[in-house]
Amino acid sequence: MLHHKIIISQPFNEQYELVIETNSKLIDNHMTSRTIMRYDFTVIRCNENEIECRLILLDLFLDQSNNDLVKEIAQVTAAFNRMFNELHLKLSQKGEILQVLNMDLVLSKWQQTKTEMTAALSNNDELRKLIAVNDSLFTNKEKLAQTIQNSEFLHMYFGQVFNIELPKTKRLTGANILNTANLEWDMNISEQNGNNPNDIHILVNTYPVRPLSEGYLNAAYGQFKDRIDLDLLNFTMFQKEERYIDRNTGKLKQSIVEKVEEIGHEQVYQKFSYQMISDTEKKIQQKTPVIS
């Protein structure tokens, strides 16, 4: 197989729609939600090392939810995201933030956002703590850049597949899907043979390294051990990512990310599904009949 790297090689403007579905069960507590976000992404200029771009959050709304707490958190998240709804960034070709070019504007939005978030909170102490945490965040430019780095858009666009020699395998340390403990993961990045020769179709499969240590099991699931039998662990955990990228420009057409962790015979699970598609690609797919 040929070794090659994917980079953004031409300026472009495109709109993207991101749909995030969550399905979470912690013993007796079951929560589902569906959130839709829309973005306008412009690559102003690029070279082999850097990309200058603008990222505008056009819309964010909670489409479905079965839980009032989810709705309250969504209100706060929407207010919080408004701070990042216009970003002017300098990125590496891997999608890492080198500089937030309009950092002063982002910082100036915090006071207004804080007022709005406080109003939305009514009497929720947990969410008040969140504001206090963010108050310290927004006086620290490095932390702020890291928050932007962790944004859904940058993850869905770049993931870990840009500007690396393909194919690639690596081992990394990171949190489990429930976000209760760290463990080692094996990641395998490969190029698939697609139907369209102009597309690069990249598949990323990430699985936890087995066997799982006793320490990890206690840290990750100790809070549930009175309710589920950790010795008879019915355990599934993986992250799967697919990206379709234009071979000539490095422009993302579509990305699909699925994250699943399930233990104890469906008593505890966290399932995330992310689907991001460009408006151009969506129109093409709507015109093309699906052959099943």
Side-chain angles (χ1 to χ4, degrees), residues 162-223:
F162 276 74
N163 206 23
I164 59 165
E165 290 284 352
L166 293 169
K168 189 176 182 72
T169 55
K170 56 182 175 178
R171 182 163 286 191
L172 41 115
T173 301
N176 61 340
I177 314 295
L178 284 162
N179 206 23
T180 49
N182 274 345
L183 73 163
E184 284 196 310
W185 297 84
D186 277 335
M187 176 183 277
N188 180 35
I189 305 170
S190 61
E191 183 172 344
Q192 306 299 298
N193 292 324
N195 303 329
N196 185 341
N198 294 322
D199 279 3
I200 304 172
H201 178 199
I202 302 290
L203 193 59
V204 183
N205 279 311
T206 310
Y207 292 97
V209 176
R210 304 289 189 108
L212 297 164
S213 71
E214 192 71 28
Y216 167 75
L217 292 174
N218 282 330
Y221 313 123
Q223 59 184 307

Short mmCIF file of all heavy atoms in Angstrom, two decimals, residues 162-223:
data_model
loop_
_atom_site.label_atom_id
_atom_site.label_comp_id
_atom_site.label_asym_id
_atom_site.label_seq_id
_atom_site.Cartn_x
_atom_site.Cartn_y
_atom_site.Cartn_z
N PHE A 162 -5.10 13.48 9.80
CA PHE A 162 -4.45 14.43 8.90
C PHE A 162 -2.95 14.53 9.19
O PHE A 162 -2.51 14.48 10.33
CB PHE A 162 -5.09 15.82 9.02
CG PHE A 162 -6.33 15.99 8.18
CD1 PHE A 162 -7.52 15.38 8.54
CD2 PHE A 162 -6.31 16.74 7.01
CE1 PHE A 162 -8.66 15.51 7.77
CE2 PHE A 162 -7.45 16.88 6.22
CZ PHE A 162 -8.62 16.27 6.60
N ASN A 163 -2.19 14.69 8.09
CA ASN A 163 -0.75 14.94 8.14
C ASN A 163 0.03 13.87 8.90
O ASN A 163 0.95 14.18 9.66
CB ASN A 163 -0.46 16.33 8.73
CG ASN A 163 0.88 16.88 8.24
OD1 ASN A 163 1.37 16.47 7.19
ND2 ASN A 163 1.46 17.77 9.01
N ILE A 164 -0.38 12.61 8.73
CA ILE A 164 0.40 11.49 9.26
C ILE A 164 0.61 10.49 8.13
O ILE A 164 -0.16 10.47 7.18
CB ILE A 164 -0.30 10.78 10.45
CG1 ILE A 164 -1.68 10.24 10.04
CG2 ILE A 164 -0.42 11.70 11.66
CD1 ILE A 164 -2.27 9.25 11.01
N GLU A 165 1.66 9.71 8.24
CA GLU A 165 1.90 8.65 7.25
C GLU A 165 0.84 7.57 7.43
O GLU A 165 0.67 7.04 8.53
CB GLU A 165 3.29 8.04 7.45
CG GLU A 165 4.43 8.97 7.08
CD GLU A 165 4.64 9.10 5.57
OE1 GLU A 165 4.01 8.34 4.81
OE2 GLU A 165 5.44 9.96 5.16
N LEU A 166 0.11 7.27 6.37
CA LEU A 166 -0.93 6.23 6.43
C LEU A 166 -0.44 4.98 5.72
O LEU A 166 0.27 5.08 4.74
CB LEU A 166 -2.21 6.74 5.76
CG LEU A 166 -2.91 7.90 6.46
CD1 LEU A 166 -4.00 8.47 5.58
CD2 LEU A 166 -3.50 7.44 7.78
N PRO A 167 -0.81 3.77 6.15
CA PRO A 167 -1.62 3.49 7.35
C PRO A 167 -0.78 3.62 8.62
O PRO A 167 0.43 3.69 8.55
CB PRO A 167 -2.04 2.03 7.11
CG PRO A 167 -0.93 1.45 6.28
CD PRO A 167 -0.42 2.57 5.42
N LYS A 168 -1.44 3.58 9.78
CA LYS A 168 -0.72 3.79 11.04
C LYS A 168 -1.41 3.04 12.18
O LYS A 168 -2.64 2.95 12.22
CB LYS A 168 -0.69 5.29 11.37
CG LYS A 168 0.22 5.66 12.54
CD LYS A 168 0.26 7.15 12.74
CE LYS A 168 1.19 7.56 13.87
NZ LYS A 168 2.62 7.39 13.56
N THR A 169 -0.60 2.49 13.06
CA THR A 169 -1.15 1.94 14.32
C THR A 169 -0.42 2.63 15.45
O THR A 169 0.77 2.95 15.34
CB THR A 169 -0.91 0.42 14.43
OG1 THR A 169 0.48 0.17 14.29
CG2 THR A 169 -1.68 -0.34 13.38
N LYS A 170 -1.14 2.89 16.54
CA LYS A 170 -0.46 3.46 17.71
C LYS A 170 -1.19 3.09 18.98
O LYS A 170 -2.38 2.74 18.96
CB LYS A 170 -0.31 4.98 17.58
CG LYS A 170 -1.56 5.79 17.35
CD LYS A 170 -1.17 7.25 17.20
CE LYS A 170 -2.35 8.14 16.86
NZ LYS A 170 -1.96 9.55 16.76
N ARG A 171 -0.47 3.17 20.08
CA ARG A 171 -1.04 2.90 21.40
C ARG A 171 -1.07 4.22 22.16
O ARG A 171 -0.09 4.97 22.16
CB ARG A 171 -0.19 1.87 22.15
CG ARG A 171 -0.76 1.51 23.51
CD ARG A 171 -0.16 0.22 24.03
NE ARG A 171 -0.70 -0.95 23.34
CZ ARG A 171 -0.51 -2.20 23.73
NH1 ARG A 171 0.23 -2.46 24.80
NH2 ARG A 171 -1.03 -3.20 23.05
N LEU A 172 -2.21 4.53 22.78
CA LEU A 172 -2.32 5.79 23.51
C LEU A 172 -3.09 5.59 24.81
O LEU A 172 -3.81 4.61 24.97
CB LEU A 172 -2.98 6.86 22.65
CG LEU A 172 -4.15 6.46 21.77
CD1 LEU A 172 -5.41 7.15 22.22
CD2 LEU A 172 -3.85 6.82 20.34
N THR A 173 -2.93 6.53 25.71
CA THR A 173 -3.64 6.50 26.98
C THR A 173 -4.74 7.55 26.94
O THR A 173 -4.50 8.68 26.51
CB THR A 173 -2.67 6.81 28.15
OG1 THR A 173 -1.63 5.85 28.13
CG2 THR A 173 -3.39 6.73 29.49
N GLY A 174 -5.93 7.15 27.38
CA GLY A 174 -7.04 8.11 27.38
C GLY A 174 -8.18 7.58 28.23
O GLY A 174 -8.17 6.42 28.66
N ALA A 175 -9.16 8.45 28.44
CA ALA A 175 -10.30 8.08 29.29
C ALA A 175 -11.19 7.06 28.59
O ALA A 175 -11.23 6.98 27.36
CB ALA A 175 -11.12 9.32 29.63
N ASN A 176 -11.90 6.29 29.41
CA ASN A 176 -12.93 5.41 28.86
C ASN A 176 -14.12 6.26 28.41
O ASN A 176 -14.14 7.48 28.63
CB ASN A 176 -13.35 4.34 29.88
CG ASN A 176 -13.94 4.95 31.15
OD1 ASN A 176 -13.73 6.12 31.46
ND2 ASN A 176 -14.67 4.15 31.89
N ILE A 177 -15.10 5.65 27.78
CA ILE A 177 -16.23 6.41 27.23
C ILE A 177 -17.08 7.02 28.35
O ILE A 177 -17.60 8.13 28.21
CB ILE A 177 -17.13 5.51 26.33
CG1 ILE A 177 -16.29 4.65 25.37
CG2 ILE A 177 -18.15 6.32 25.56
CD1 ILE A 177 -15.51 5.38 24.33
N LEU A 178 -17.19 6.31 29.47
CA LEU A 178 -17.93 6.84 30.63
C LEU A 178 -17.17 7.97 31.32
O LEU A 178 -17.72 8.67 32.18
CB LEU A 178 -18.18 5.73 31.65
CG LEU A 178 -19.28 4.72 31.32
CD1 LEU A 178 -19.12 3.47 32.17
CD2 LEU A 178 -20.67 5.32 31.53
N ASN A 179 -15.89 8.12 30.97
CA ASN A 179 -15.04 9.17 31.52
C ASN A 179 -14.83 9.00 33.03
O ASN A 179 -14.81 9.97 33.78
CB ASN A 179 -15.64 10.56 31.22
CG ASN A 179 -14.56 11.63 31.17
OD1 ASN A 179 -13.40 11.32 30.95
ND2 ASN A 179 -14.93 12.86 31.41
N THR A 180 -14.66 7.74 33.46
CA THR A 180 -14.46 7.46 34.89
C THR A 180 -13.03 7.03 35.21
O THR A 180 -12.64 7.00 36.37
CB THR A 180 -15.45 6.37 35.37
OG1 THR A 180 -15.40 5.26 34.47
CG2 THR A 180 -16.87 6.90 35.44
N ALA A 181 -12.25 6.65 34.19
CA ALA A 181 -10.86 6.23 34.44
C ALA A 181 -10.08 6.23 33.13
O ALA A 181 -10.66 6.17 32.05
CB ALA A 181 -10.84 4.82 35.05
N ASN A 182 -8.75 6.29 33.24
CA ASN A 182 -7.88 6.21 32.06
C ASN A 182 -7.44 4.77 31.82
O ASN A 182 -7.29 3.99 32.77
CB ASN A 182 -6.63 7.08 32.25
CG ASN A 182 -6.89 8.52 31.85
OD1 ASN A 182 -7.87 8.83 31.19
ND2 ASN A 182 -6.01 9.41 32.26
N LEU A 183 -7.22 4.44 30.54
CA LEU A 183 -6.69 3.13 30.20
C LEU A 183 -5.93 3.25 28.89
O LEU A 183 -5.93 4.29 28.25
CB LEU A 183 -7.81 2.08 30.10
CG LEU A 183 -8.75 2.11 28.90
CD1 LEU A 183 -9.47 0.77 28.81
CD2 LEU A 183 -9.78 3.22 29.02
N GLU A 184 -5.28 2.15 28.48
CA GLU A 184 -4.53 2.15 27.23
C GLU A 184 -5.44 1.68 26.09
O GLU A 184 -6.24 0.74 26.26
CB GLU A 184 -3.33 1.22 27.34
CG GLU A 184 -2.18 1.80 28.13
CD GLU A 184 -0.90 1.01 27.88
OE1 GLU A 184 -0.94 -0.23 27.99
OE2 GLU A 184 0.12 1.64 27.56
N TRP A 185 -5.30 2.35 24.95
CA TRP A 185 -6.06 2.01 23.75
C TRP A 185 -5.10 1.67 22.62
O TRP A 185 -4.03 2.27 22.51
CB TRP A 185 -6.88 3.22 23.29
CG TRP A 185 -7.94 3.72 24.21
CD1 TRP A 185 -7.78 4.60 25.25
CD2 TRP A 185 -9.35 3.45 24.13
NE1 TRP A 185 -9.00 4.87 25.83
CE2 TRP A 185 -9.98 4.19 25.17
CE3 TRP A 185 -10.14 2.66 23.28
CZ2 TRP A 185 -11.36 4.15 25.37
CZ3 TRP A 185 -11.50 2.63 23.49
CH2 TRP A 185 -12.10 3.37 24.54
N ASP A 186 -5.51 0.75 21.76
CA ASP A 186 -4.81 0.50 20.50
C ASP A 186 -5.63 1.11 19.37
O ASP A 186 -6.82 0.83 19.24
CB ASP A 186 -4.65 -1.01 20.24
CG ASP A 186 -3.45 -1.57 20.98
OD1 ASP A 186 -2.51 -0.79 21.28
OD2 ASP A 186 -3.44 -2.78 21.27
N MET A 187 -4.96 1.96 18.57
CA MET A 187 -5.65 2.64 17.46
C MET A 187 -5.06 2.16 16.14
O MET A 187 -3.85 2.10 15.98
CB MET A 187 -5.47 4.15 17.60
CG MET A 187 -6.06 4.96 16.46
SD MET A 187 -5.75 6.75 16.64
CE MET A 187 -7.07 7.20 17.76
N ASN A 188 -5.95 1.84 15.20
CA ASN A 188 -5.53 1.39 13.89
C ASN A 188 -6.18 2.29 12.83
O ASN A 188 -7.40 2.36 12.74
CB ASN A 188 -5.96 -0.07 13.69
CG ASN A 188 -5.55 -0.60 12.34
OD1 ASN A 188 -4.50 -0.24 11.82
ND2 ASN A 188 -6.38 -1.43 11.74
N ILE A 189 -5.34 3.00 12.06
CA ILE A 189 -5.83 3.94 11.04
C ILE A 189 -5.51 3.37 9.66
O ILE A 189 -4.34 3.13 9.35
CB ILE A 189 -5.17 5.33 11.19
CG1 ILE A 189 -5.37 5.86 12.62
CG2 ILE A 189 -5.74 6.32 10.18
CD1 ILE A 189 -4.55 7.11 12.93
N SER A 190 -6.53 3.13 8.84
CA SER A 190 -6.29 2.51 7.54
C SER A 190 -7.13 3.17 6.46
O SER A 190 -8.18 3.75 6.74
CB SER A 190 -6.61 1.01 7.60
OG SER A 190 -7.97 0.83 7.93
N GLU A 191 -6.65 3.08 5.22
CA GLU A 191 -7.41 3.60 4.08
C GLU A 191 -8.19 2.46 3.44
O GLU A 191 -7.65 1.38 3.19
CB GLU A 191 -6.48 4.25 3.07
CG GLU A 191 -7.25 4.87 1.91
CD GLU A 191 -6.38 5.69 0.97
OE1 GLU A 191 -5.25 6.05 1.33
OE2 GLU A 191 -6.86 5.96 -0.15
N GLN A 192 -9.46 2.68 3.19
CA GLN A 192 -10.34 1.67 2.59
C GLN A 192 -10.47 1.92 1.10
O GLN A 192 -10.35 3.06 0.64
CB GLN A 192 -11.73 1.73 3.23
CG GLN A 192 -11.72 1.64 4.75
CD GLN A 192 -11.14 0.34 5.25
OE1 GLN A 192 -11.67 -0.72 4.97
NE2 GLN A 192 -10.02 0.40 5.96
N ASN A 193 -10.75 0.88 0.37
CA ASN A 193 -11.05 1.05 -1.05
C ASN A 193 -12.49 1.52 -1.19
O ASN A 193 -13.41 0.83 -0.77
CB ASN A 193 -10.86 -0.28 -1.80
CG ASN A 193 -9.40 -0.67 -1.84
OD1 ASN A 193 -8.54 0.19 -1.95
ND2 ASN A 193 -9.12 -1.95 -1.71
N GLY A 194 -12.66 2.73 -1.73
CA GLY A 194 -14.01 3.28 -1.86
C GLY A 194 -14.52 3.16 -3.29
O GLY A 194 -13.81 2.74 -4.20
N ASN A 195 -15.78 3.55 -3.48
CA ASN A 195 -16.39 3.52 -4.81
C ASN A 195 -15.91 4.69 -5.66
O ASN A 195 -15.87 4.61 -6.88
CB ASN A 195 -17.92 3.58 -4.70
CG ASN A 195 -18.45 2.44 -3.86
OD1 ASN A 195 -17.85 1.38 -3.86
ND2 ASN A 195 -19.54 2.66 -3.13
N ASN A 196 -15.58 5.81 -4.98
CA ASN A 196 -15.24 7.03 -5.71
C ASN A 196 -13.72 7.25 -5.68
O ASN A 196 -13.15 7.44 -4.61
CB ASN A 196 -15.97 8.22 -5.04
CG ASN A 196 -15.77 9.51 -5.82
OD1 ASN A 196 -14.85 9.63 -6.63
ND2 ASN A 196 -16.64 10.47 -5.56
N PRO A 197 -13.05 7.22 -6.85
CA PRO A 197 -11.58 7.37 -6.87
C PRO A 197 -11.12 8.75 -6.37
O PRO A 197 -9.96 8.91 -5.99
CB PRO A 197 -11.22 7.16 -8.34
CG PRO A 197 -12.49 7.41 -9.10
CD PRO A 197 -13.61 7.02 -8.20
N ASN A 198 -12.03 9.75 -6.37
CA ASN A 198 -11.65 11.08 -5.87
C ASN A 198 -11.75 11.19 -4.36
O ASN A 198 -11.36 12.20 -3.79
CB ASN A 198 -12.55 12.15 -6.50
CG ASN A 198 -12.32 12.26 -8.00
OD1 ASN A 198 -11.18 12.14 -8.46
ND2 ASN A 198 -13.38 12.45 -8.76
N ASP A 199 -12.30 10.17 -3.72
CA ASP A 199 -12.44 10.18 -2.26
C ASP A 199 -11.33 9.40 -1.59
O ASP A 199 -10.88 8.36 -2.10
CB ASP A 199 -13.76 9.51 -1.83
CG ASP A 199 -14.95 10.44 -1.97
OD1 ASP A 199 -14.75 11.58 -2.44
OD2 ASP A 199 -16.06 10.03 -1.62
N ILE A 200 -10.89 9.89 -0.44
CA ILE A 200 -10.08 9.08 0.46
C ILE A 200 -11.04 8.63 1.56
O ILE A 200 -11.72 9.45 2.17
CB ILE A 200 -8.93 9.89 1.07
CG1 ILE A 200 -8.07 10.52 -0.02
CG2 ILE A 200 -8.08 9.01 1.99
CD1 ILE A 200 -7.02 11.49 0.50
N HIS A 201 -11.13 7.32 1.77
CA HIS A 201 -12.03 6.77 2.79
C HIS A 201 -11.14 6.20 3.90
O HIS A 201 -10.45 5.20 3.70
CB HIS A 201 -12.92 5.69 2.17
CG HIS A 201 -13.84 5.04 3.16
ND1 HIS A 201 -14.43 3.81 2.93
CD2 HIS A 201 -14.25 5.43 4.40
CE1 HIS A 201 -15.18 3.49 3.98
NE2 HIS A 201 -15.08 4.45 4.88
N ILE A 202 -11.15 6.86 5.07
CA ILE A 202 -10.27 6.47 6.18
C ILE A 202 -11.10 5.86 7.30
O ILE A 202 -12.14 6.41 7.70
CB ILE A 202 -9.51 7.69 6.75
CG1 ILE A 202 -8.69 8.36 5.65
CG2 ILE A 202 -8.62 7.28 7.92
CD1 ILE A 202 -7.51 7.57 5.16
N LEU A 203 -10.62 4.73 7.81
CA LEU A 203 -11.28 4.04 8.92
C LEU A 203 -10.33 4.04 10.11
O LEU A 203 -9.15 3.71 9.96
CB LEU A 203 -11.60 2.60 8.50
CG LEU A 203 -12.55 1.79 9.38
CD1 LEU A 203 -13.90 2.46 9.52
CD2 LEU A 203 -12.71 0.39 8.81
N VAL A 204 -10.85 4.43 11.28
CA VAL A 204 -10.06 4.40 12.52
C VAL A 204 -10.79 3.51 13.52
O VAL A 204 -11.92 3.79 13.90
CB VAL A 204 -9.89 5.81 13.13
CG1 VAL A 204 -9.00 5.76 14.37
CG2 VAL A 204 -9.34 6.80 12.11
N ASN A 205 -10.13 2.43 13.92
CA ASN A 205 -10.69 1.54 14.94
C ASN A 205 -9.83 1.63 16.20
O ASN A 205 -8.61 1.48 16.12
CB ASN A 205 -10.71 0.09 14.45
CG ASN A 205 -11.91 -0.18 13.55
OD1 ASN A 205 -13.03 0.15 13.89
ND2 ASN A 205 -11.65 -0.76 12.39
N THR A 206 -10.49 1.89 17.33
CA THR A 206 -9.76 2.02 18.60
C THR A 206 -10.40 1.11 19.63
O THR A 206 -11.61 1.18 19.87
CB THR A 206 -9.81 3.49 19.08
OG1 THR A 206 -9.42 4.35 18.01
CG2 THR A 206 -8.86 3.72 20.24
N TYR A 207 -9.56 0.23 20.22
CA TYR A 207 -10.05 -0.73 21.22
C TYR A 207 -9.16 -0.68 22.45
O TYR A 207 -7.96 -0.45 22.34
CB TYR A 207 -10.02 -2.16 20.66
CG TYR A 207 -11.02 -2.39 19.56
CD1 TYR A 207 -10.64 -2.32 18.22
CD2 TYR A 207 -12.35 -2.69 19.86
CE1 TYR A 207 -11.56 -2.52 17.21
CE2 TYR A 207 -13.28 -2.91 18.84
CZ TYR A 207 -12.87 -2.82 17.52
OH TYR A 207 -13.79 -3.03 16.52
N PRO A 208 -9.75 -0.95 23.64
CA PRO A 208 -8.91 -1.00 24.84
C PRO A 208 -7.95 -2.19 24.80
O PRO A 208 -8.27 -3.24 24.26
CB PRO A 208 -9.92 -1.16 25.99
CG PRO A 208 -11.19 -1.60 25.37
CD PRO A 208 -11.18 -1.18 23.94
N VAL A 209 -6.76 -1.96 25.36
CA VAL A 209 -5.76 -3.03 25.45
C VAL A 209 -6.22 -4.02 26.53
O VAL A 209 -6.55 -3.63 27.65
CB VAL A 209 -4.38 -2.44 25.80
CG1 VAL A 209 -3.35 -3.54 26.00
CG2 VAL A 209 -3.93 -1.46 24.70
N ARG A 210 -6.25 -5.31 26.18
CA ARG A 210 -6.65 -6.35 27.13
C ARG A 210 -5.41 -7.05 27.67
O ARG A 210 -4.40 -7.09 27.00
CB ARG A 210 -7.56 -7.38 26.44
CG ARG A 210 -8.81 -6.83 25.78
CD ARG A 210 -9.82 -6.36 26.81
NE ARG A 210 -11.07 -6.03 26.18
CZ ARG A 210 -12.20 -6.75 26.27
NH1 ARG A 210 -12.21 -7.86 26.96
NH2 ARG A 210 -13.31 -6.34 25.70
N PRO A 211 -5.46 -7.69 28.85
CA PRO A 211 -6.61 -7.69 29.75
C PRO A 211 -6.68 -6.38 30.52
O PRO A 211 -5.67 -5.70 30.69
CB PRO A 211 -6.30 -8.87 30.70
CG PRO A 211 -4.81 -8.95 30.70
CD PRO A 211 -4.34 -8.52 29.34
N LEU A 212 -7.88 -6.03 30.96
CA LEU A 212 -8.07 -4.82 31.75
C LEU A 212 -7.58 -5.08 33.17
O LEU A 212 -7.85 -6.13 33.75
CB LEU A 212 -9.56 -4.44 31.77
CG LEU A 212 -10.13 -4.11 30.39
CD1 LEU A 212 -11.64 -4.13 30.42
CD2 LEU A 212 -9.63 -2.77 29.91
N SER A 213 -6.86 -4.11 33.74
CA SER A 213 -6.29 -4.32 35.08
C SER A 213 -7.37 -4.22 36.15
O SER A 213 -8.40 -3.56 35.97
CB SER A 213 -5.21 -3.29 35.35
OG SER A 213 -5.80 -2.02 35.53
N GLU A 214 -7.08 -4.86 37.27
CA GLU A 214 -7.97 -4.78 38.44
C GLU A 214 -8.15 -3.32 38.87
O GLU A 214 -9.24 -2.88 39.21
CB GLU A 214 -7.34 -5.59 39.58
CG GLU A 214 -8.25 -5.87 40.76
CD GLU A 214 -9.35 -6.87 40.44
OE1 GLU A 214 -9.14 -7.73 39.56
OE2 GLU A 214 -10.41 -6.77 41.07
N GLY A 215 -7.05 -2.59 38.82
CA GLY A 215 -7.09 -1.16 39.20
C GLY A 215 -8.03 -0.36 38.33
O GLY A 215 -8.80 0.47 38.81
N TYR A 216 -7.97 -0.63 37.01
CA TYR A 216 -8.86 0.07 36.08
C TYR A 216 -10.32 -0.28 36.38
O TYR A 216 -11.18 0.61 36.45
CB TYR A 216 -8.54 -0.27 34.62
CG TYR A 216 -9.65 0.19 33.70
CD1 TYR A 216 -9.78 1.54 33.38
CD2 TYR A 216 -10.61 -0.69 33.22
CE1 TYR A 216 -10.83 1.99 32.60
CE2 TYR A 216 -11.66 -0.25 32.44
CZ TYR A 216 -11.76 1.10 32.13
OH TYR A 216 -12.81 1.54 31.38
N LEU A 217 -10.60 -1.57 36.55
CA LEU A 217 -11.98 -2.01 36.78
C LEU A 217 -12.56 -1.35 38.03
O LEU A 217 -13.70 -0.89 38.04
CB LEU A 217 -12.06 -3.53 36.91
CG LEU A 217 -11.75 -4.31 35.63
CD1 LEU A 217 -11.71 -5.80 35.89
CD2 LEU A 217 -12.77 -4.01 34.54
N ASN A 218 -11.73 -1.27 39.09
CA ASN A 218 -12.21 -0.63 40.33
C ASN A 218 -12.42 0.87 40.15
O ASN A 218 -13.42 1.42 40.60
CB ASN A 218 -11.21 -0.88 41.48
CG ASN A 218 -11.36 -2.28 42.04
OD1 ASN A 218 -12.46 -2.84 42.02
ND2 ASN A 218 -10.27 -2.86 42.51
N ALA A 219 -11.46 1.52 39.48
CA ALA A 219 -11.57 2.97 39.28
C ALA A 219 -12.76 3.31 38.38
O ALA A 219 -13.52 4.25 38.63
CB ALA A 219 -10.28 3.51 38.68
N ALA A 220 -12.92 2.52 37.31
CA ALA A 220 -13.95 2.84 36.31
C ALA A 220 -15.35 2.47 36.77
O ALA A 220 -16.31 3.20 36.52
CB ALA A 220 -13.63 2.13 35.00
N TYR A 221 -15.48 1.32 37.46
CA TYR A 221 -16.82 0.78 37.74
C TYR A 221 -17.09 0.53 39.21
O TYR A 221 -18.14 -0.01 39.56
CB TYR A 221 -17.02 -0.54 36.97
CG TYR A 221 -16.61 -0.44 35.51
CD1 TYR A 221 -15.66 -1.30 34.98
CD2 TYR A 221 -17.16 0.54 34.69
CE1 TYR A 221 -15.27 -1.19 33.65
CE2 TYR A 221 -16.77 0.65 33.36
CZ TYR A 221 -15.82 -0.21 32.84
OH TYR A 221 -15.44 -0.10 31.54
N GLY A 222 -16.14 0.94 40.09
CA GLY A 222 -16.31 0.70 41.52
C GLY A 222 -17.62 1.25 42.07
O GLY A 222 -18.25 0.66 42.94
N GLN A 223 -18.05 2.40 41.51
CA GLN A 223 -19.29 3.03 42.00
C GLN A 223 -20.52 2.18 41.73
O GLN A 223 -21.56 2.37 42.35
CB GLN A 223 -19.45 4.41 41.35
CG GLN A 223 -19.52 4.36 39.83
CD GLN A 223 -19.60 5.73 39.19
OE1 GLN A 223 -20.45 6.54 39.55
NE2 GLN A 223 -18.71 6.00 38.25
#
